[in-house]
């Protein structure tokens, strides 16, 4: 099958990701393998590989490619890892993760996006991905513990249930803050209820839609 966006995808990797000092070969290969344009509405496909987030409907966005890569690098993922994405949106990050780890789970509060993203990952053959509708702050206890959790929407507080669902030595990365100021924060579980916390770069994400929204 002809991939009209292949060169755009290679340019995205070279200029936006590798050029910003991300050189993890598995992550780069995952970005190369996954067709980002398949996860955005048709009217935005010509911008799918631009250095920016894009609307995906339901007041949600697909994140900037570099930010996704930077978050994944910080999770230090092993091939046999089990990973949860909270706020999985269009399913693009799930697809990237599916190329890197053994099992991927996604939670999304917008039912239309759940249906659309599950259909898309199935069509593209990512058979180690499972998505459900639900409140991301509650996590997915039945599938826990997780080796890593990535939260792809901003929250003003750290969801305790997500921390509880990390296995020992697991990591969670999330944008912490409000609509005016957000910062990526990495949590690393060292023992029961004991976490190392590292503040990373400033970011801008849409708010996490939870059960109160």
């Amino acid at each position: 099958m002809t991939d009209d966006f292949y060169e755009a995808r290679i340019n995205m990797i070279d200029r936006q990701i590798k050029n910003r000092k991300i050189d993890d070969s598995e992550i780069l290969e995952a970005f190369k393998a996954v067709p980002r344009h398949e996860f955005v509405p048709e009217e935005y496909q010509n911008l799918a590989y631009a250095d920016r987030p894009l609307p995906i409907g339901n007041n949600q966005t697909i994140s900037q490619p570099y930010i996704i890569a930077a978050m994944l690098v910080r999770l230090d993922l092993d091939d046999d890892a089990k990973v949860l994405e909270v706020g999985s949106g269009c399913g693009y990050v799930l697809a990237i993760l599916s190329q890197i780890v053994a099992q991927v789970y996604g939670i999304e509060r917008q039912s239309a996006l759940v249906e659309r993203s599950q259909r898309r990952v199935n069509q593209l053959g990512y058979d180690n991905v499972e998505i459900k509708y639900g409140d991301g702050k509650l996590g997915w206890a039945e599938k826990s513990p997780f080796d890593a959790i990535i939260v792809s929407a901003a929250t003003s507080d750290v969801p305790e249930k997500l921390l509880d669902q990390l296995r020992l030595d697991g990591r969670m990365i999330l944008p912490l803050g409000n609509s005016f100021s957000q910062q990526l924060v990495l949590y690393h579980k060292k023992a029961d209820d004991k976490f190392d916390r590292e503040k990373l770069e400033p970011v801008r994400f849409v708010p996490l839609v939870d059960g109160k929204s």
Side-chain angles (χ1 to χ4, degrees):
M1 183 174 64
T2 302
D3 185 349
D4 295 333
F5 292 88
Y6 180 78
E7 289 301 325
R9 191 152 64 253
I10 296 302
N11 286 336
M12 175 193 76
I13 294 165
D14 289 343
R15 297 176 183 176
Q16 300 175 35
I17 301 176
K18 291 172 70 175
N19 199 41
R20 288 177 168 128
K21 312 302 182 186
I22 292 177
D23 58 4
D24 184 294
S25 60
E26 282 194 291
I27 290 175
L28 296 176
E29 283 300 313
F31 275 89
K32 181 179 177 181
V34 175
R36 183 177 168 88
H37 61 277
E38 295 282 3
F39 292 86
V40 300
E42 187 174 355
E43 62 265 32
Y44 293 110
Q45 285 194 341
N46 64 320
L47 296 172
Y49 298 97
D51 191 19
R52 53 170 288 191
L54 292 170
I56 56 170
N58 299 82
N59 296 314
Q60 303 300 303
T61 60
I62 183 173
S63 298
Q64 178 188 6
Y66 162 70
I67 292 297
I68 297 171
M71 293 172 79
L72 295 181
V73 164
R74 293 290 188 164
L75 291 176
D76 193 23
L77 299 166
D78 292 327
D79 294 348
D80 60 353
K82 181 168 63 171
V83 181
L84 173 69
E85 184 192 11
V86 173
S88 56
C90 64
Y92 178 66
V93 175
L94 298 176
I96 294 287
L97 283 165
S98 78
Q99 306 297 292
I100 301 170
V101 303
Q103 186 63 50
V104 187
Y105 297 96
I107 302 178
E108 172 55 50
R109 192 63 175 173
Q110 303 282 353
S111 58
L113 290 177
V114 173
E115 296 168 9
R116 201 179 311 154
S117 59
Q118 187 70 71
R119 183 168 62 249
R120 178 59 64 200
V121 298
N122 289 346
Q123 289 172 343
L124 293 171
Y126 305 126
D127 56 6
N128 59 340
V129 176
E130 188 175 343
I131 310 168
K132 79 165 186 174
Y133 168 79
D135 184 344
K137 287 189 174 183
L138 301 180
W140 198 336
E142 297 85 354
K143 303 296 185 180
S144 67
F146 300 102
D147 298 287
I149 298 174
I150 179 169
V151 182
S152 295
T155 176
S156 59
D157 60 305
V158 181
E160 292 294 329
K161 288 187 181 297
L162 295 183
L163 292 176
D164 290 343
Q165 291 172 27
L166 279 177
R167 72 168 70 250
L168 186 64
D169 201 37
R171 291 171 170 84
M172 179 173 76
I173 192 166
L174 76 166
L176 198 58
N178 53 40
S179 57
F180 302 103
S181 176
Q182 300 168 16
Q183 184 174 33
L184 282 181
V185 180
L186 179 70
Y187 286 83
H188 185 186
K189 189 169 187 176
K190 309 300 289 186
D192 287 345
D193 301 320
K194 302 291 184 183
F195 295 86
D196 286 345
R197 183 175 184 267
E198 182 181 0
K199 293 182 178 180
L200 307 172
E201 60 257 51
V203 288
R204 178 63 65 87
F205 281 79
V206 297
L208 180 64
V209 179
D210 59 23
K212 299 177 183 177
S213 301

